[in-house]
Structure formats: structure tokens, C-alpha cells
Amino acid sequence: MRINWRVNKMNLPVILGLLGKLLVIYAGAMCIPLTLAVVLGEWSVYSFLLSIIIIGIPGFFLMRRFKLTEMKFGVREAFAAVTGAWLLASFTGALPYWFADVVPTYIDALFETVSGLTTTGASVISDVEALPQSILLWRSLTHWVGGLGIIVLFIVLLPKTGMGSVLLFNAEVPGPTNDRVMPRIRDTAAALWKIYLIFTAICAVLLWMAGMSFLDALNHAFATIATGGFSTKNTSIMYYNSLTIEMIVAFFMIFSGANFVIYLTVWRKKTMKAFRNTELMVYLLIIIAATLLIAGSLWSNAGNSPGYAFRHALFQVASIMTTTGYASVDFDQWPSMTKIILFLLMFIGGSAGSTSGGMKVSRIILLVKATWAELKRGIHPRVVSSIKLDDKVIDTENLSRVGIFFFLYIVTFTGASIIVAASTGLSPFEAMSAVAATLGNVGPGFGTVGPTTTFAGISLLGKIVLTVCMLLGRLEFFTLLIIFRPEFWGKGKVW
Amino acid sequence: MRINWRVNKMNLPVILGLLGKLLVIYAGAMCIPLTLAVVLGEWSVYSFLLSIIIIGIPGFFLMRRFKLTEMKFGVREAFAAVTGAWLLASFTGALPYWFADVVPTYIDALFETVSGLTTTGASVISDVEALPQSILLWRSLTHWVGGLGIIVLFIVLLPKTGMGSVLLFNAEVPGPTNDRVMPRIRDTAAALWKIYLIFTAICAVLLWMAGMSFLDALNHAFATIATGGFSTKNTSIMYYNSLTIEMIVAFFMIFSGANFVIYLTVWRKKTMKAFRNTELMVYLLIIIAATLLIAGSLWSNAGNSPGYAFRHALFQVASIMTTTGYASVDFDQWPSMTKIILFLLMFIGGSAGSTSGGMKVSRIILLVKATWAELKRGIHPRVVSSIKLDDKVIDTENLSRVGIFFFLYIVTFTGASIIVAASTGLSPFEAMSAVAATLGNVGPGFGTVGPTTTFAGISLLGKIVLTVCMLLGRLEFFTLLIIFRPEFWGKGKVW
Ligand SMILES: [K+]
Ligand SMILES: [K+]
């Protein structure tokens, strides 16, 4: 029997082959918590076994049926593959939670998985300390796998990489970077994973030495380097009440919120010049400025010692700016002004090419530069000035894309806030913070969804909307939204 | 003695001449409340007399010294004149309040005046019913004068209008309209004032017939057609509890939130075709959609009758969307979702070329169209598609200006919210609503600055920041911000 696999000229076999491979890799990843469950004799061993069977068998057959001998595909296939991979990873990654019965509904399991993969770290599980260690490890692993991106992993494992992998890379890696299209993209992807792995290991060892248990250190390292924010403790990092742990975590959060391409360049070219990067400088300046503002407010308003004020201001700014979402203190009790600053940081986010969420610092820089140039044009209408970032001219096409991204971000934020407020009992600011925290892949918001509480009490509709927000934020809108264009389905003009 | 009036090549004499003329007109306008004070025998007669002397005499001498025989000036002079006119009108318009001792400080008087001129309608006077009728009339008059714009009035009264008046018109009239640069700009400005005057008169007569006192009807007509929102009653329109009054006011608010150029075209060309306007349709659709959503929420959540729900939903949506800011009910007590919708409407605002504030509907339409086109480009990177509005192609320069305006709006909103929250006791949402309500020239926000309260309790710094927000919103950033470019001061390249 011969089936026509080309729907509206889309190359379906290559997408199905890719998704099959993804399922097999995913089943393989689940063997890690499975092993832990076996070693510790946890009952969750069955939920992992069942999930691996359900995911692995169809994955194996898809992979065999649609061999990826060569990736011949275009833009549509790239978008379809990335969207499909994220949705599939989300729906299947939810199975262990659901089978282990640690969440009330499948939607909750899905929320937790998407929150993990998108490195959001918002949780619907109120008592995480009651979870089996294997489930906690799976939870942190979703952060780690999602952090650098499922597709980047993909590329490393592909047999032949042509234009297809470049397209995949473009659709996946966040931020408006010009360094995206690289000649040897497979090597780059592999090198990124190496850096990622090494720093996760260093972070884990340091946290272990600082007093965490081995498993806690591993979990927190996964969640920190991925700027995820899932903790194995109900009260997050404040459980430890340790300055050492806070400073280790703060360092690695700030590290992970910077562009990984910088580290790659430093590593490859053995030069420190790559650190002379505008986005990195602005990113660090914002952290310093926000820390000083908040520390000042905490010191003067709440009668805290300057040391205490600075310590928690720095940790919380690093945590929110890098969109990790850990809490060293219940910042929901802080003064109004500090909350608005943290709220703002949720929108800015970290750097392009990092594991963080939000709009990304480089986009804000470009928008500020474009604004300044526009004011100049108001006086000299005929003067055309080009906008540069690190000596690279940014063309108008990329600039308008940044502006549109900004608009989409704000519109999505507003629309989702209305639905969340309508479908839950949240106050306007709580609802807006819940949306900002999920859209920016931060995790905790304020009030009912604050640092010491969870998203468990949110309505079903609210959870679904916030789940979509997490995916939209992680895939930066275009990848997900492009499937709504008629051209995507081959109904527009053929190209 | 000869003074060099050209500072860094800027044509100062023409600016000073214009400002002198403005002061004389302004002193003339103050004669209206002065007359009322004399007729009613109010003690505020002295505060008006004193203000008229202080404003009129220097105005007269400036006008005589710098005769406006012909307006020869460029972009810089236009921006300087508009900025100067607004600042001068604000500082001198505050004098009657200050002299009449109805406000505690001069800053409060300034806040009230800027709030009037920018048609914001936020008040620092808690008990307006205790004010003299003449002061109330001056308060409403500032709305009416500021509504169509001080400069539009200016142009009508200028002796010779060359390129200068076109530049002034461009710097003044809000919204991204292509109809700005018109050949016979003086006639257009005069015709706009005629329409404005006629509809104010109709509105006043109808309100009088519906049961308001003559003076109240006049005041409310001024404030309604200007989408201002100052009321002569402490509880705004809810004082009357009259469906007839609410519907009259709602109609004229919606009327005034639409583009006046449409009315002008209909009036001149005697054709209804001008109503086939995309912005007008979207503007009305948003009002209908928001009304239905809020009415539904009020009906289901709060156990109100459908009639009550629809009546107040419509009035409040019309009031906030047109950025008037009247209240027919204390909407601060409404469900969370309805508050976020009203909060969103504060940002959208009315149409370009209207007396309303906010971002303007046409800008939102352009941003949505640009976004949709960008998604298309994601699939067909080489296809260049132009964006049209009512069959007019919008060039990329104007589009990027819209995007930058959007960015500036959000950035100003965020920055001001942080300062307001830091300098007042407002909660995050209250602070954000205060900024959104002043930046969008709406008036009341939520909570402490809600529809039944005033801005009286806000700190001094908060009042100053919100005053700047009102001006930035009314002048749409560029006019005010351009003075911070070095080129404006002739320090950049000469053009
Ligand atoms: K996070
Ligand atoms: K208003």
C-alpha cells in the first residue's frame, strides 16, 4: 500500500521520522529516573516503565519507517517539526506524573511538564517534598532537556545535516542573534551541550559541597543552569537559609542568563574579547541597578540590615531577571515598588542565546536604539541612520521583527490576563503576574501564585491558558503562531 | 540695543511672538469665568483678575515686540513652539486655582491644569461641589481648549500661514493620520473648531433638557466633547442616576472619540462615504465587544439585572475607551476581569484625530497588520507585502514610528509606575492604573485613585510624575522628547 505522505506539498515523512527519533531519545531519558526508582525501590518505577513502553514503541516504529537519510526540507517543515516536537514532548512527558498519581488531572501533569520543558518552573504540586525522588529527578530533567532546547539535542543526533538543521536551529534558539546561521551547526550544537554539561556538573558539585544532599544538588544544578526554578523543597532555596548556597545559585543563574555563544567563542578562540559584548554589559548593568534599587527600598522601608537587604535583593533580582524563579525569601511581602521592578524584570528576561525567557535584553537594546534614532529623524527627516549592535548593522527587517515581537508579547500578556482573571479568583495584579511569570518562563508571580504558593488552585481554563503562554514564550511566538497562516497549510501561493 | 535672538540658529523671535499671542488669547479665555464670577458675585473674581493681569501684560508686550508678519520656521521651531505653548498654558492656567486658594500647593494647581488641558480629568480636589461656579467653569474650559489643541486654535488666529502652520499641525494633532498635511490647513483648523463648537452646543442643550442645571450642562458638555471627564459633582455622572443623561453622555463620548476628519469630510462633501473607515469600524467593534464581555460578567457574577449590567457596562466602556473617565457607577467594585478589560482600554484609547488619548485604535490596527504580515514572511521570506489602511499604503518609516511609539508608551508606563509606587503608598495595580489613567489621559484609575476618590492623597513626587505622564501622553512623546536630542539644540550636525 502506498500512501501519499505529502499533505499540501508538506514533506510529512521527514517530520514523522524526526518525531519518531525524538520519542526514542525521550524514552531513553526516562531510563535515568527509572534507574533511580529501581535503586531506591520507589513505587514510581511502574509509572516510568509504562511511560517508556508507550513512548518508545511507536517512536521505534516511526524511526524505522521514515529513515532520515537526508534532511530535505524547507521552512514549513522546520516550523512543523519544532512545534510538533515541543507538543509531543509535552504530552508524553506528562505521563510519568499522571501514572504515578501525583497530580489530580492529566491537565495538571501537562502543566507541570510544559513548565519543566519551557524552564518556567511554575508548579501545581503543593507538597513536592512528598514526591518520590525519581519523579523529582524527572521534573528537573525536563528543565535541563528543555533548557538548551530539544532541537539542539536533535541536531547533534541527526545523521546528515544540511540546510534543514540550520532552519531547525533558527526556529528553536531564542533571541534575535545574528550568529544563528553558522556553517558547522552540528559542531556548534555539540559544543553548546558540552559547555552546558560541564557547568551543570560544576554547579552540582559546589551545591553538594555547600551542604545539599547529592540528589538535591543534582536537581538544583539541572534547574539552575536551565534557569528553570523547580526545587525539591516546598520553600525553594529559602529552605536552606544559607548564604553560600544562595551565592552559588545566584552566580550560576546569572551565568546561564548570558549568551552561551559568548562562552563558546571564549572556549574555542581562547580569548576574553568575546566578553566585550553590549548585551552582556547591559544585562549585568540592569542586574546591578535593580539590585541597588531594591536593596535600598528594603533597607529604608522594612527596617532590615543593609547586608540582609543586599543579599536578598541580589538573589531575587538574579532569580527573576534570568527567569529562574527561585526564592530566597517571600518577596511577595516586599514593598510595592520592589514588586513592580521584579514584575518589569519578568518582561525583560535574560540574554539571547541563553536558557532564560522573557523578551531578552538585546531586543530591549535594539528598541531603545531605534527610538533614539527616531527622535533624531524627527529633527532631520531626510537623514537615514543605521542601527548597530556590536559593530553589526541591524537591517530594518530584523528591527521590525523585534518591534512586532514586542507587540505580540504585550498583546498576549493582556489577552491571557483577561482570561485568567475571568476564570480564576485572582486579583488583577495577581492574574497579570501569573501571565507575566509563565509567558516569561519565570515561574512564581505574586499573591496567590507567589513564591510560597503554587498554581494548584488555578482553574482548569486558567491552567490551559498559562500552559499555552509558557509555550508561546519559549518558542517566541513566531514558531507557534505561524501555523495559523493559511500559507503554512499550502493554501496560499506556492513558493 | 540689539540682541542676538538666534540661539544655536533657532529662530527665537517667531517662537516668542507665538507664545505672546497665546498668552493674550489665554487671558481672553479667562474673561469668561471672570464674567461669571462678577455676575454671581463670587470672591474668585479677584483670582481671575490677578491672573489676567499677570498673563495678559507680558503677552501683550511679547506680541508687540515680535510681530508675526510671516512664519518662517522649521521643524525645530515647531517643536519648541508646541512644547513651549503647552508648558506656558499649564503654568499660567494654574494661577486662578492657586490665587483662589482651592488647592493646597501650586503643584496641585499645576496638576489640575495639566489634567484639564490634556483632557485627562484626574483631580486633586476632593470636594468639587464646594468650588465657586467660576472656578468650575475655568476647569471645564481648560478641557475644551486643550481638547482640540491649543495649536489648532493658534493656526486659526495666525496672520499668514505657510509651511510653519503645517509643521505645527503635525506636531500637535494626535494619531498617525495621513491626512495631517493638508493644503488649506487654516481653513481645516477653523472648520474643526466649528464642528467642535456646534456639537458642544447640542450636547449642552440636550443635557440641560435632560435635567441638569444650565451651568452643569455647559460644564459637562465641555468636558464630554473634549473627552475630559471633569465633573461638577463629587460622584461624577452617577450623581444624577439618570439613564437619559448617561445615554446622552455616552453618545457624545463615543462621537468625540472618533476621528474629526471624518465629520469634516461628511460636512464638506455631503457624503456618508467617509464613515466607511476601518479605524471607525474597529473602534466601534471594540466598544461593542468590551461592553458585551463586561455586561456578561456583571450579570453572571454580581447578580445584577441584564438591563443594569448592560447600561453601566456600555457607559463605562465608552467612558474609558474614549478616555473621558466619567463614572456612572463605582466600577472599582467590579469583578477582576472587567477591571483588566477597562485597564486595557485605557491603553488603546480612541481614534486618531479625536480629542481622546491612549495609543489610538489606528496604531493598534497597523501593529496587528504588521504582525500578520510578519508571520507570512516567516514562511515566504522573499515576499515583500505592503501594509494598507483604507487603500492607503503605509510606508515602513511610518510603521516603524508606530512600533517605536508603542515601545515608548510601555516603557514610560513601566518607569512611571515604579516611581509612583515607590513614592506613594499605592499597591502595584493601583500605581499602574494611576499611570495608565494619566498617560492615556483617562482620569480615574482603580483603588486609591478610583472613580469615587481623587489624586489628592498622592505624594508630591507622584503628582509631578503623573503630570509629566499627562503631557507625554497628550503630545505623544515625540514632541516633548525631541528636545532631549542634541540636534535640537543645534549641537549635532547642521541641517
Ligand atoms: K524559570
Ligand atoms: K479624560
Side-chain angles (χ1 to χ4, degrees):
Chain A
M1 192 183 76
R2 291 193 66 182
I3 305 168
N4 178 15
W5 288 103
R6 293 190 166 245
V7 180
N8 291 321
K9 296 207 179 75
M10 206 189 289
N11 190 353
L12 215 53
V14 71
I15 296 168
L16 290 174
L18 276 170
L19 295 182
K21 189 144 190 165
L22 170 81
L23 288 179
V24 172
I25 297 166
Y26 216 50
M30 278 187 193
C31 292
I32 301 171
L34 174 76
T35 311
L36 185 69
V38 170
V39 169
L40 298 179
E42 289 178 331
W43 46 263
S44 51
V45 65
Y46 301 104
S47 58
F48 283 108
L49 262 180
L50 195 56
S51 305
I52 290 169
I53 293 167
I54 292 177
I55 299 167
I57 291 175
F60 179 75
F61 282 104
L62 275 177
M63 221 175 95
R64 276 195 49 155
R65 172 72 185 75
F66 304 105
K67 281 224 158 72
L68 297 169
T69 46
E70 198 169 346
M71 283 174 64
K72 268 191 186 162
F73 67 98
V75 185
R76 289 203 301 169
E77 283 76 12
F79 283 116
V82 171
T83 307
W86 276 89
L87 292 181
L88 207 58
S90 302
F91 284 108
T92 59
L95 295 177
Y97 298 114
W98 198 37
F99 292 148
D101 212 19
V102 295
V103 285
T105 68
Y106 179 74
I107 293 292
D108 289 278
L110 188 65
F111 182 97
E112 198 79 8
T113 312
V114 172
S115 176
L117 288 172
T118 59
T119 74
T120 304
S123 184
V124 289
I125 301 168
S126 304
D127 187 6
V128 291
E129 290 168 30
L131 293 178
Q133 288 293 335
S134 53
I135 291 283
L136 284 176
L137 187 62
W138 175 239
R139 210 162 152 258
S140 310
L141 261 178
T142 56
H143 268 343
W144 200 70
V145 170
L148 207 50
I150 292 167
I151 305 300
V152 179
L153 175 67
F154 237 21
I155 293 162
V156 182
L157 300 160
L158 284 174
K160 282 196 182 182
T161 50
M163 188 54 195
S165 53
V166 176
L167 291 169
L168 280 175
F169 197 78
N170 283 353
E172 167 84 6
V173 174
T177 163
N178 272 344
D179 301 313
R180 280 187 190 182
V181 183
M182 276 165 281
R184 298 169 70 203
I185 205 145
R186 197 175 164 182
D187 294 354
T188 304
L192 284 175
W193 273 101
K194 255 180 230 164
I195 294 174
Y196 195 57
L197 188 68
I198 291 167
F199 277 89
T200 307
I202 296 174
C203 181
V205 169
L206 287 175
L207 287 175
W208 191 22
M209 283 165 59
M212 280 192 186
S213 76
F214 175 74
L215 276 175
D216 280 359
L218 191 66
N219 280 312
H220 281 96
F222 281 151
T224 303
I225 302 292
T227 66
F230 276 151
S231 175
T232 52
K233 302 297 174 192
N234 291 334
T235 50
S236 187
I237 299 295
M238 73 182 98
Y239 169 90
Y240 299 100
N241 192 22
S242 153
L243 181 61
T244 317
I245 286 178
E246 282 167 30
M247 289 306 116
I248 295 170
V249 171
F251 172 81
F252 282 100
M253 290 193 296
I254 295 171
F255 171 88
S256 305
N259 193 339
F260 272 63
V261 175
I262 294 176
Y263 306 134
L264 193 69
T265 315
V266 171
W267 187 39
R268 279 183 174 169
K269 300 194 178 163
K270 317 283 173 209
T271 165
M272 291 291 151
K273 269 187 190 163
F275 286 119
R276 274 189 227 151
N277 178 287
T278 308
E279 185 181 28
L280 184 65
M281 291 305 123
V282 175
Y283 164 71
L284 293 175
L285 276 176
I286 295 175
I287 291 178
I288 293 167
T291 300
L292 292 177
L293 276 171
I294 291 180
S297 172
L298 290 180
W299 186 20
S300 63
N301 290 352
N304 299 300
S305 76
Y308 178 93
F310 187 79
R311 166 183 169 181
H312 292 295
L314 175 64
F315 186 90
Q316 231 40 76
V317 165
S319 170
I320 302 296
M321 172 94 182
T322 63
T323 72
T324 308
Y326 280 140
S328 68
V329 69
D330 185 5
F331 57 81
D332 193 48
Q333 307 299 322
W334 283 3
S336 179
M337 176 266 248
T338 65
K339 285 201 231 179
I340 299 189
I341 293 180
L342 292 178
F343 186 60
L344 166 65
L345 294 182
M346 287 183 184
F347 285 87
I348 298 177
S351 307
S354 76
T355 60
S356 70
M359 291 180 183
K360 309 286 177 303
V361 172
S362 51
R363 286 207 180 88
I364 305 295
I365 297 172
L366 288 178
L367 287 169
V368 170
K369 287 197 170 202
T371 304
W372 191 233
E374 180 65 37
L375 289 178
K376 187 177 177 181
R377 194 152 57 187
I379 308 170
H380 306 303
R382 271 168 240 130
V383 175
V384 179
S385 53
S386 61
I387 286 160
K388 287 181 187 176
L389 190 59
D390 290 324
D391 295 329
K392 272 178 209 159
V393 175
I394 312 292
D395 60 19
T396 48
E397 203 174 295
N398 272 314
L399 275 179
S400 79
R401 214 180 156 88
V402 170
I404 286 162
F405 175 86
F406 184 82
F407 176 66
L408 268 176
Y409 204 99
I410 300 292
V411 167
T412 310
F413 162 69
T414 319
S417 295
I418 292 172
I419 304 175
V420 169
S423 65
T424 63
L426 298 183
S427 79
F429 187 61
E430 285 176 340
M432 291 195 289
S433 79
V435 174
T438 47
L439 196 59
N441 300 141
V442 179
F446 296 101
T448 315
V449 293
T452 59
T453 47
T454 68
F455 286 69
I458 302 288
S459 70
L460 203 66
L461 177 60
K463 278 175 190 159
I464 293 170
V465 170
L466 294 175
T467 303
V468 173
C469 283
M470 293 191 267
L471 282 170
L472 281 172
R474 181 61 179 83
L475 292 178
E476 303 205 317
F477 303 101
F478 292 108
T479 308
L480 267 190
L481 291 182
I482 230 158
I483 59 171
F484 293 108
R485 283 289 318 193
E487 291 87 354
F488 180 81
W489 300 103
K491 279 166 192 157
K493 287 161 238 152
V494 179
W495 87 112
Chain B
M1 192 183 78
R2 290 194 66 180
I3 305 168
N4 180 14
W5 290 103
R6 295 190 165 243
V7 180
N8 291 317
K9 296 205 177 74
M10 207 188 291
N11 190 352
L12 215 53
V14 72
I15 297 168
L16 290 173
L18 277 171
L19 295 183
K21 188 143 192 167
L22 171 80
L23 288 179
V24 172
I25 298 167
Y26 216 49
M30 276 187 195
C31 292
I32 301 170
L34 175 75
T35 311
L36 185 69
V38 171
V39 170
L40 299 180
E42 289 177 331
W43 46 264
S44 51
V45 65
Y46 301 103
S47 58
F48 282 109
L49 263 181
L50 195 57
S51 306
I52 288 167
I53 293 166
I54 293 178
I55 299 167
I57 292 175
F60 179 75
F61 281 103
L62 274 177
M63 224 176 95
R64 276 195 51 155
R65 171 73 183 77
F66 304 104
K67 281 224 159 70
L68 296 170
T69 46
E70 197 167 349
M71 283 173 64
K72 268 189 186 164
F73 66 102
V75 184
R76 290 203 300 168
E77 283 76 9
F79 282 115
V82 172
T83 308
W86 275 89
L87 292 181
L88 207 57
S90 302
F91 284 107
T92 58
L95 294 177
Y97 298 114
W98 198 38
F99 292 148
D101 212 20
V102 295
V103 286
T105 69
Y106 179 74
I107 294 292
D108 289 278
L110 189 65
F111 183 98
E112 198 78 8
T113 313
V114 172
S115 176
L117 288 172
T118 59
T119 73
T120 303
S123 184
V124 289
I125 300 169
S126 302
D127 187 6
V128 292
E129 290 167 31
L131 293 179
Q133 288 293 336
S134 53
I135 292 282
L136 284 176
L137 186 63
W138 175 241
R139 212 163 152 257
S140 310
L141 260 179
T142 55
H143 269 342
W144 200 71
V145 171
L148 207 52
I150 293 168
I151 305 300
V152 179
L153 175 66
F154 239 17
I155 293 164
V156 182
L157 299 161
L158 284 175
K160 283 195 181 181
T161 49
M163 188 55 195
S165 53
V166 176
L167 291 169
L168 280 176
F169 197 77
N170 283 353
E172 166 87 6
V173 174
T177 163
N178 271 345
D179 301 314
R180 280 189 192 178
V181 182
M182 276 168 284
R184 297 171 68 201
I185 205 146
R186 197 175 164 182
D187 294 354
T188 304
L192 284 176
W193 273 102
K194 254 180 230 163
I195 295 175
Y196 195 58
L197 189 67
I198 291 167
F199 276 89
T200 307
I202 296 173
C203 182
V205 170
L206 287 176
L207 287 176
W208 191 20
M209 283 165 59
M212 279 193 187
S213 77
F214 175 73
L215 276 176
D216 279 359
L218 191 65
N219 280 311
H220 281 96
F222 282 150
T224 303
I225 302 292
T227 66
F230 276 150
S231 175
T232 52
K233 301 296 174 192
N234 291 332
T235 49
S236 187
I237 299 296
M238 72 182 100
Y239 170 89
Y240 298 99
N241 193 22
S242 152
L243 180 61
T244 317
I245 287 178
E246 282 168 31
M247 289 305 116
I248 294 170
V249 171
F251 171 80
F252 282 100
M253 290 193 294
I254 295 172
F255 171 87
S256 305
N259 193 340
F260 272 61
V261 176
I262 294 176
Y263 306 134
L264 193 69
T265 315
V266 171
W267 187 39
R268 280 183 173 170
K269 300 193 178 164
K270 317 282 172 212
T271 164
M272 291 292 152
K273 267 186 191 167
F275 286 120
R276 273 188 227 151
N277 177 289
T278 308
E279 186 182 26
L280 183 65
M281 292 304 125
V282 174
Y283 164 72
L284 294 175
L285 275 176
I286 296 175
I287 291 179
I288 293 168
T291 300
L292 292 177
L293 276 171
I294 291 182
S297 172
L298 290 180
W299 186 19
S300 63
N301 290 352
N304 299 301
S305 76
Y308 178 93
F310 187 79
R311 166 183 169 182
H312 293 295
L314 176 64
F315 186 89
Q316 231 40 76
V317 165
S319 169
I320 301 295
M321 172 94 181
T322 63
T323 73
T324 308
Y326 279 142
S328 67
V329 69
D330 186 4
F331 57 81
D332 193 48
Q333 307 299 323
W334 283 4
S336 178
M337 177 266 245
T338 65
K339 285 201 231 178
I340 300 189
I341 292 180
L342 292 178
F343 186 60
L344 166 65
L345 294 183
M346 287 182 186
F347 285 87
I348 298 177
S351 307
S354 75
T355 60
S356 70
M359 293 181 182
K360 310 285 179 301
V361 173
S362 52
R363 286 208 180 87
I364 306 293
I365 296 173
L366 288 178
L367 286 168
V368 169
K369 287 197 172 202
T371 305
W372 191 234
E374 181 64 37
L375 289 177
K376 185 176 178 182
R377 194 151 57 185
I379 308 170
H380 305 303
R382 270 167 240 133
V383 175
V384 179
S385 53
S386 62
I387 287 162
K388 286 180 186 174
L389 190 59
D390 289 324
D391 295 329
K392 272 179 208 158
V393 175
I394 312 292
D395 61 19
T396 48
E397 203 174 295
N398 272 314
L399 275 179
S400 80
R401 214 181 156 89
V402 171
I404 285 162
F405 174 86
F406 184 81
F407 176 66
L408 268 175
Y409 205 100
I410 300 291
V411 167
T412 309
F413 162 69
T414 320
S417 296
I418 291 172
I419 304 175
V420 169
S423 66
T424 62
L426 298 183
S427 78
F429 187 61
E430 285 175 341
M432 291 194 290
S433 79
V435 174
T438 46
L439 196 59
N441 300 142
V442 179
F446 297 101
T448 314
V449 292
T452 58
T453 47
T454 68
F455 286 69
I458 301 289
S459 70
L460 203 68
L461 177 60
K463 278 176 190 158
I464 294 170
V465 171
L466 294 176
T467 303
V468 174
C469 282
M470 292 191 269
L471 282 169
L472 280 173
R474 181 60 179 82
L475 293 178
E476 303 205 318
F477 303 100
F478 292 108
T479 308
L480 267 191
L481 290 181
I482 232 157
I483 60 170
F484 292 108
R485 282 289 319 192
E487 290 87 355
F488 180 80
W489 301 101
K491 279 166 189 157
K493 286 162 237 150
V494 179
W495 85 112

